[in-house]
Amino acid sequence: MAALFGRRMRRGAASTAVAAAAMAALSASGAPSAVGEQPAASASERPSAGASGQEDPSVTGDSPYHTDLPPLKGPGRNDPPDETPATGSAESGIPATVLDAYRKAEASLAASNPRCRVPWELLAAIGKVESGHARGGRLDTNGTTPSPILGPVLNGVGFANISDTDGGAYDGDTLHDRAVGPMQFIPQTWESWGRDGNGDGRRDPNNIYDAALAAGSYLCAHDRDLTVERDLHQAILGYNRSQEYLRTVLHWYDYYRKGAHEVPDGSQPAPGAPTGNGGTTPSPAPVRPGTPSPSPTKPGKPTKPAKPGDGSSSKPTPPPTTPPPTTPPPTTPPTTPPAPATRLVDLGDGALSAPAGERFAERPAVRAERADKKPAAQAKVRFTLTGETGTTFEGGATTVTVTTKADGVAKAPALLAGGKPGALTVKATLLGTTEAVTLGLRGEVTAPRADKLVRTDETELTCEAGATFEGRIALTATRDGQAAPGVAATATVLVGADPADGEKAADQGPYFLTPGDEPAEDRRTRELTLTTDAKGNLLLPELHTDDTTGTFRLRVETTGGAVVVLELKVTDPA
């Protein structure tokens, strides 16, 4: 996620004073969700998003948000004596369709990710701060805004610098990204986290049902439990990496938890009313801290001209002087944009492969080229994972969009192998072309491995001929010091006690019995394959002996090369 990019928009000095007073009052009251009052970093201390070496931007690209806080309670107000919002108060009202979307997102996530426990009131708090609940619930019958809700152009002037990642598909801007929709997703984040919340088969950031479910899914990332304060704060800061933003959302979250009610769609005033820019809602320019809001000039009464002989001694006002014309700055001639990319080239050394549960050593990478086979910079490449292995990109997404650099190379984030072995495909698609340009990169998730195998006890393995060894042999497999579940292991009885005897399998001496209804003589085996359990444990079947005495070896080896060799002694009957 990107660092901070300057303070977010205010609604004037009066609103700022109210916000500060509200935060002070709530902090003094011991609000449970209050956070540390460390100041946010100044604009000069914050790196620009999208710069080389910087982390990915937040959900919103740290676009502006509404900093209004819930109403204060106290002397001189007509509010109830407690801190519960008054039933029917304007501030606690949420438009009907928007409220329905928040609640359905909560129910959907409770079923798909019960550990997260995301409350609808948290979605409402974010929706309030980001768009004023979709401009006060101005939605069509499907829950979609009649015109897009767009944040400012993220061109590095006052905000993040994020070059276009969607070819203008979501925000209509082919040069830079803008936050989109009621929950203000930037296009590249929507590509990874967009959801279909109303079941119409589309993922639309301008639809409140889709956007609310996507926001909840993002808040639940990284196996978070939002009833844990640390996870809750991290989730909100992932949406916008600002302590001021965190405090604002938490205040609305607390407010809605104490009471909220449904109001008709469109019955509330819409924040940031349109100003005739093609139907989109412009974001007000940010007001820097300490800058007073300009007061509108009131029109004065017209001055009556002085009549001759009325005693007026005022001198005539000289006409205003016109300043000399200034020379306009020289204009830079427009540059010809480079030719677009027309094809993709795989830069991998072969099939991508990793054991289940581990990170792939190689990252999927392609080069975008123009028709003349030269590298194409600033091309958009979408990587999409397909298959049933459960593999994801680092961070949990299955779709990411990457912009090529000057060398035309687009490299996807690291792949994390799922728990199910099998084949997968990483599909690379070149965006912004009239014809589909797609490249399929093959991959595979192999069986999980272990790098260490140990026996859990040191009991000597001795048995009389024609009898059964006492107890069953138990071992534990680990990988990087952690339990290694689902790892295949092969146990083989070998001839002789000395490794110099080689790896020759025994044809007499100790043996296992395979399951079945056949006679025991037909089920004898001196080699079998087993799999570790969920805790990496391996419990071998009972080990029997025939009439052959002597010393043997039992060799157990796992996928990944972990080996244990145990000595087996078979003695004459007593």
Side-chain angles (χ1 to χ4, degrees):
M1 300 301 167
L4 302 176
F5 303 103
R7 292 191 178 275
R8 313 299 279 288
M9 75 177 183
R10 295 284 184 174
R11 291 191 177 176
S15 177
T16 304
V18 172
M23 283 189 284
L26 285 173
S27 298
S29 69
S33 59
V35 296
E37 294 295 323
Q38 59 267 39
S42 66
S44 62
E45 296 171 336
R46 301 175 183 125
S48 297
S52 176
Q54 298 300 332
E55 54 188 339
D56 293 336
S58 60
V59 166
T60 63
D62 294 334
S63 294
Y65 59 90
H66 299 289
T67 57
D68 293 13
L69 291 175
L72 289 170
K73 306 290 179 181
R77 298 292 302 272
N78 294 324
D79 301 317
D82 61 12
E83 294 190 3
T84 304
T87 302
S89 65
E91 289 297 338
S92 62
I94 301 176
T97 300
V98 181
L99 181 58
D100 183 56
Y102 296 150
R103 286 174 169 164
K104 285 185 176 177
E106 177 193 56
S108 177
L109 290 165
S112 63
N113 190 353
R115 169 181 166 77
C116 179
R117 292 182 279 192
V118 59
W120 70 261
E121 293 91 345
L122 177 59
L123 298 176
I126 292 175
K128 173 70 173 180
V129 169
E130 292 297 341
S131 69
H133 299 313
R135 299 177 182 146
R138 282 155 177 80
L139 305 163
D140 63 17
T141 55
N142 295 320
T144 303
T145 59
S147 58
I149 301 177
L150 298 177
V153 177
L154 299 177
N155 58 3
V157 181
F159 306 109
N161 185 6
I162 305 178
S163 298
D164 175 58
T165 61
D166 65 331
Y170 293 120
D171 54 16
D173 191 330
T174 58
L175 295 179
H176 294 88
D177 274 349
R178 302 175 70 173
V180 183
M183 305 304 277
Q184 290 289 279
F185 277 83
I186 57 175
Q188 59 179 300
T189 313
W190 182 258
E191 279 297 319
S192 298
W193 294 99
R195 299 290 186 268
D196 178 14
N198 60 354
D200 63 357
R202 299 176 61 237
R203 299 185 306 155
D204 184 358
N206 294 299
N207 182 276
I208 185 60
Y209 289 97
D210 295 358
L213 183 58
S217 300
Y218 178 83
L219 295 171
C220 290
H222 305 298
D223 200 29
R224 292 190 184 107
D225 178 356
L226 298 185
T227 61
V228 177
E229 185 177 63
R230 172 184 170 83
D231 285 1
L232 174 65
H233 289 191
Q234 286 181 338
I236 298 172
L237 287 172
Y239 217 94
N240 186 299
R241 296 173 66 86
S242 160
Q243 291 294 327
E244 180 183 357
Y245 181 86
L246 173 63
R247 288 191 291 270
T248 304
V249 169
L250 288 176
H251 284 311
W252 279 110
Y253 176 40
D254 290 341
Y255 186 72
Y256 286 138
R257 290 176 66 190
K258 294 171 184 174
H261 66 283
E262 176 185 308
V263 297
D265 290 346
S267 62
Q268 294 178 319
T275 57
N277 63 334
T280 61
T281 300
S283 294
V287 179
R288 297 188 181 277
T291 303
S293 299
S295 301
T297 302
K298 296 182 179 180
K301 296 182 179 180
T303 303
K304 296 181 180 180
K307 296 180 180 180
D310 64 354
S312 173
S313 61
S314 60
K315 296 181 180 180
T317 303
T321 58
T322 304
T326 58
T327 304
T331 58
T332 303
T335 58
T336 303
T342 59
R343 71 171 193 154
L344 295 174
V345 178
D346 182 9
L347 298 182
D349 297 332
L352 301 160
S353 179
E358 297 189 39
R359 183 190 299 267
F360 281 69
E362 292 187 16
R363 291 164 57 184
V366 298
R367 183 174 61 249
E369 294 182 348
R370 306 196 302 252
D372 58 4
K373 296 187 179 180
K374 291 184 178 180
Q378 297 299 308
K380 311 300 176 187
V381 180
R382 178 186 298 157
F383 292 95
T384 305
L385 279 167
T386 60
E388 303 297 329
T389 63
T391 300
T392 66
F393 293 108
E394 192 168 28
T398 56
T399 300
V400 295
T401 301
V402 179
T403 303
T404 61
K405 299 180 181 179
D407 57 3
V409 174
K411 186 174 287 189
L415 289 171
L416 302 179
K420 184 178 180 181
L424 61 88
T425 300
V426 183
K427 185 171 68 172
T429 303
L430 184 61
L431 302 179
T433 56
T434 55
E435 296 182 5
V437 179
T438 302
L439 193 64
L441 313 178
R442 304 248 176 225
E444 180 185 16
V445 175
T446 60
R449 66 178 180 87
D451 54 27
K452 188 174 183 180
L453 185 66
V454 296
R455 189 182 173 202
T456 58
D457 66 68
E458 298 180 358
T459 304
E460 186 178 77
L461 297 173
T462 301
C463 181
E464 295 179 357
T468 300
F469 282 83
E470 183 177 353
R472 295 168 63 180
I473 299 171
L475 305 103
T476 298
T478 57
R479 179 179 64 249
D480 299 328
Q482 303 295 320
V487 176
T490 301
T492 307
V493 179
L494 304 177
V495 172
D498 192 336
D501 295 332
E503 301 294 315
K504 182 179 179 181
D507 56 4
Q508 57 185 358
Y511 62 88
F512 300 102
L513 288 176
T514 60
D517 298 328
E518 298 84 359
E521 292 77 7
D522 297 334
R523 293 188 286 114
R524 291 184 181 184
T525 183
R526 293 180 173 86
E527 180 175 308
L528 51 80
T529 300
L530 303 151
T531 303
T532 60
D533 63 15
K535 296 183 179 180
N537 296 324
L538 195 66
L539 185 63
L540 275 60
E542 287 185 327
L543 191 60
H544 309 278
T545 66
D546 57 17
D547 295 334
T548 306
T549 61
T551 303
F552 301 84
R553 285 171 294 148
L554 177 64
R555 186 177 191 274
V556 185
E557 181 177 8
T558 71
T559 302
V563 178
V564 165
V565 179
L566 306 175
E567 186 176 81
L568 306 176
K569 293 181 179 180
V570 182
T571 61
D572 291 322

